[in-house]
C-alpha cells in the first residue's frame, strides 16, 4: 500500500488551498512549444520521507474481450500506491467492473467510475482514502461522426479529483485510427482539451495541479514499413524507432501535448498483436507495430509539486487483446522537500 496513512501537505500549501488559490495550467508554453519532455525512470519512490501521493495509472484497449485472468494480471503487482486509475477502451458490455473490484478487494475500494459506451475509467483508493476526497467530478466528450454506431465511440472520459488538496484531472481517450489520420488525432486532442469540464464556466481542467492523459491515442510509426520495424524491435533498437513516432513528432511541432512529460519508450510497441500471443500481427495487413497506448502528464508549475516517474512499462503477460496494457507509477512530491 502507499502513503495514505501519513498523507499530508506542507503548511504553506494548505494555506494556499484554504484560500482557494486557483492557478491555471500554462497551456500555450508562454509563446513557445516544448514538445513532450522524455523523462528518465527513477526506480525507487521514497514513500516514507518526501512523497505526498503515489498514483498508479493503467491504460488498456481490451478489443471487446474480457479475460478475468488478465484483469488480475493488470493490477496484481506491488500495490504500494494510494490511488489506481484504470482507463479502458473497447470494453466489453459487462463484467469488467466486477472483475476489477474483485481483483482489488484486498487492498483498495472503488471510489469513482465513468463511461461513454466502450470507453471506461475507474478510480480505486486505499481503504482509508474516502475521507481525503474533497471534491470529485466526471465529464465526457465524443468526437467523430458515426463512431458510436457499433458501440465503440471515440472521444474521452475524464475525472476531476481534489484529493486532500491536490487537484488532479485524468483524461482517458480513444482517438482516430490509421496512420494517415494524424491531423484528425491532433484535432480531436484539441477539441477534448477545450471541451472537458468547460460547462457553466467551471474550468476544472484549467485549475489542476496535475493533468494526466492516458489511452489509445492511436499515433503510429511513420516512414518505416512493418518488416524493418519488427527487425529493429527484435534487436532491441527501440531508441531508433522513437524518432518515427508520430506523437513525439507532432508534439515537437507544437500541435499537441505542449509541455507534457512521458517516460522513455523503452518497451516494445504495444500494437498490433495476434490475440492470445505476444507475436505481432500476421494477418494479410501485417500492420506496422506502434506505440498507440500512452500515458502523459503535466504538473502545474505553480502547484509546488514535482512528479517522480518510478515506472513506465507495457505488460507483455496480458494476451487477450491485440493491444498490450501500459502502466505508469507517479509519485508526487513537494518541491524542495517538506521544508
Amino acid at each position: 500500500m502507499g502513503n495514505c496513512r501519513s498523507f499530508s501537505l506542507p503548511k504553506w500549501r494548505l494555506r494556499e488551498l484554504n484560500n482557494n488559490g486557483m492557478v491555471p495550467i500554462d497551456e500555450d508554453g508562454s509563446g513557445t512549444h516544448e514538445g513532450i519532455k522524455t523523462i528518465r525512470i527513477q526506480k525507487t519512490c521514497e514513500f516514507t520521507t518526501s512523497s505526498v501521493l503515489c498514483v498508479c495509472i493503467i491504460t488498456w484497449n481490451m478489443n471487446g474481450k474480457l479475460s478475468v485472468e488478465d484483469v488480475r494480471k493488470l493490477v496484481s503487482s506491488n500495490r504500494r500506491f494510494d490511488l489506481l486509475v484504470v482507463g479502458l477502451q473497447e470494453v466489453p458490455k459487462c463484467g469488467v467492473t466486477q472483475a476489477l473490484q474483485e481483483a482489488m478487494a484486498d487492498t483498495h475500494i472503488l471510489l469513482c467510475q465513468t463511461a461513454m459506451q466502450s470507453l471506461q475509467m475507474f478510480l480505486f483508493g486505499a481503504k482509508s482514502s474516502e475521507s481525503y476526497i474533497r471534491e470529485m467530478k466526471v465529464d465526457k466528450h465524443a468526437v467523430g461522426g458515426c463512431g458510436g454506431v457499433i458501440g465503440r465511440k471515440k472521444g474521452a472520459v475524464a475525472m476531476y479529483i481534489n484529493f486532500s488538496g491536490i487537484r488532479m484531472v485524468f483524461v482517458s481517450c480513444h482517438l482516430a485510427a490509421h496512420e494517415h489520420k494524424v491531423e484528425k488525432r491532433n484535432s480531436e486532442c484539441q477539441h477534448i482539451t477545450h471541451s472537458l469540464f468547460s460547462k457553466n464556466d467551471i474550468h476544472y481542467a484549467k485549475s489542476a495541479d496535475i493533468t494526466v492523459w492516458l489511452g489509445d491515442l492511436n499515433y503510429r510509426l511513420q516512414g518505416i514499413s512493418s518488416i524493418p520495424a519488427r527487425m529493429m524491435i527484435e534487436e532491441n533498437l527501440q531508441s531508433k524507432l522513437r524518432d518515427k513516432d508520430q506523437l513525439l513528432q507532432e508534439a515537437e511541432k507544437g500541435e499537441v501535448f505542449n509541455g507534457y512529460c512521458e517516460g522513455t519508450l523503452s518497451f516494445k510497441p504495444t500494437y498490433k498483436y495476434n490475440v492470445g500471443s505476444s507475436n505481432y500481427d500476421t494477418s494479410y495487413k501485417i500492420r506496422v507495430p506502434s506505440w498507440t497506448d500512452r500515458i502523459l502528464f503535466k504538473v502545474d508549475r505553480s502547484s509546488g509539486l514535482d512528479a517522480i516517474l518510478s515506472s513506465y512499462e507495457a505488460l507483455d503477460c496480458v494476451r487477450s487483446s491485440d493491444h498490450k496494457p501500459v502502466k505508469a507509477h507517479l509519485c508526487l512530491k513537494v518541491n524542495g522537500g517538506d521544508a
Side-chain angles (χ1 to χ4, degrees):
M1 200 171 92
N3 234 18
C4 275
R5 286 171 296 179
S6 59
F7 188 93
S8 63
L9 284 173
K11 292 180 179 178
W12 64 267
R13 180 71 169 119
L14 289 172
R15 284 196 298 269
E16 174 195 305
L17 293 165
N18 290 334
N19 290 333
N20 295 317
M22 304 288 273
V23 182
I25 291 176
D26 178 11
E27 292 185 337
D28 60 5
S30 300
T32 63
H33 67 265
E34 305 170 15
I36 294 173
K37 181 181 179 182
T38 300
I39 61 172
R40 66 184 182 89
I41 305 298
Q42 297 188 25
K43 291 293 185 182
T44 57
C45 178
E46 298 175 355
F47 291 88
T48 57
T49 55
S50 57
S51 64
V52 174
L53 181 68
C54 294
V55 185
C56 181
I57 303 147
I58 297 171
T59 181
W60 185 29
N61 183 319
M62 299 181 70
N63 194 31
K65 302 174 179 65
L66 173 60
S67 163
V68 174
E69 180 183 357
D70 276 355
V71 169
R72 288 198 207 98
K73 291 176 182 177
L74 204 64
V75 298
S76 65
S77 60
N78 189 340
R79 294 186 187 172
R80 294 189 65 193
F81 48 77
D82 303 307
L83 299 176
L84 169 69
V85 178
V86 182
L88 302 173
Q89 308 85 43
E90 296 191 15
V91 179
K93 290 184 178 180
C94 59
V96 173
T97 302
Q98 182 180 349
L100 277 170
Q101 286 183 293
E102 290 177 355
M104 296 296 296
D106 290 343
T107 58
H108 290 70
I109 58 174
L110 181 62
L111 299 176
C112 184
Q113 66 183 105
T114 184
M116 182 178 68
Q117 293 190 10
S118 63
L119 263 172
Q120 297 185 22
M121 184 160 54
F122 303 84
L123 173 68
F124 288 86
K127 291 183 177 180
S128 60
S129 60
E130 282 183 295
S131 60
Y132 294 105
I133 298 174
R134 298 184 181 180
E135 189 178 14
M136 188 176 294
K137 301 288 182 183
V138 298
D139 202 2
K140 60 187 177 182
H141 182 70
V143 294
C146 301
V149 173
I150 60 171
R152 293 185 174 183
K153 181 178 286 187
K154 296 294 197 295
V157 293
M159 293 179 184
Y160 166 87
I161 306 106
N162 183 329
F163 191 85
S164 198
I166 296 182
R167 301 159 301 195
M168 297 173 282
V169 169
F170 297 97
V171 180
S172 178
C173 67
H174 192 185
L175 305 182
H178 306 302
E179 178 185 344
H180 65 281
K181 292 191 177 180
V182 181
E183 291 184 3
K184 184 172 178 60
R185 286 188 280 276
N186 292 348
S187 175
E188 290 175 348
C189 280
Q190 292 159 8
H191 279 295
I192 291 167
T193 297
H194 291 106
S195 298
L196 288 173
F197 300 115
S198 62
K199 302 176 184 68
N200 303 319
D201 294 322
I202 302 174
H203 296 285
Y204 291 102
K206 294 182 180 179
S207 63
D209 296 314
I210 181 167
T211 303
V212 180
W213 278 64
L214 56 147
D216 181 359
L217 277 66
N218 251 324
Y219 287 90
R220 308 300 174 94
L221 293 184
Q222 188 165 293
I224 188 170
S225 57
S226 190
I227 300 304
R230 295 177 190 214
M231 291 176 63
M232 293 175 72
I233 294 166
E234 288 177 7
E235 296 173 9
N236 200 28
L237 297 175
Q238 276 84 275
S239 59
K240 293 185 178 180
L241 284 178
R242 289 197 292 267
D243 292 337
K244 302 183 182 300
D245 177 71
Q246 289 178 339
L247 178 56
L248 296 179
Q249 291 174 353
E250 295 303 301
E252 184 65 27
K253 291 188 289 186
E255 297 295 332
V256 289
F257 294 110
N258 181 38
Y260 275 75
C261 297
E262 182 182 26
T264 304
L265 294 169
S266 57
F267 49 85
K268 296 193 297 183
T270 54
Y271 175 84
K272 173 180 170 90
Y273 287 86
N274 291 331
V275 173
S277 77
S278 287
N279 300 319
Y280 285 115
D281 177 30
T282 56
S283 73
Y284 71 96
K285 294 183 179 180
I286 55 168
R287 293 173 179 84
V288 180
S290 297
W291 285 291
T292 55
D293 310 278
R294 311 287 276 269
I295 299 171
L296 309 163
F297 64 94
K298 185 174 185 178
V299 178
D300 177 11
R301 294 166 181 168
S302 302
S303 68
L305 294 173
D306 278 333
I308 306 302
L309 186 64
S310 61
S311 70
Y312 190 43
E313 59 185 332
L315 303 183
D316 187 67
C317 60
V318 173
R319 299 181 177 182
S320 58
S321 171
D322 54 356
H323 290 250
K324 298 297 182 183
V326 172
K327 177 186 286 190
H329 191 125
L330 278 175
C331 184
L332 303 183
K333 303 175 71 174
V334 178
N335 277 325
D338 294 334

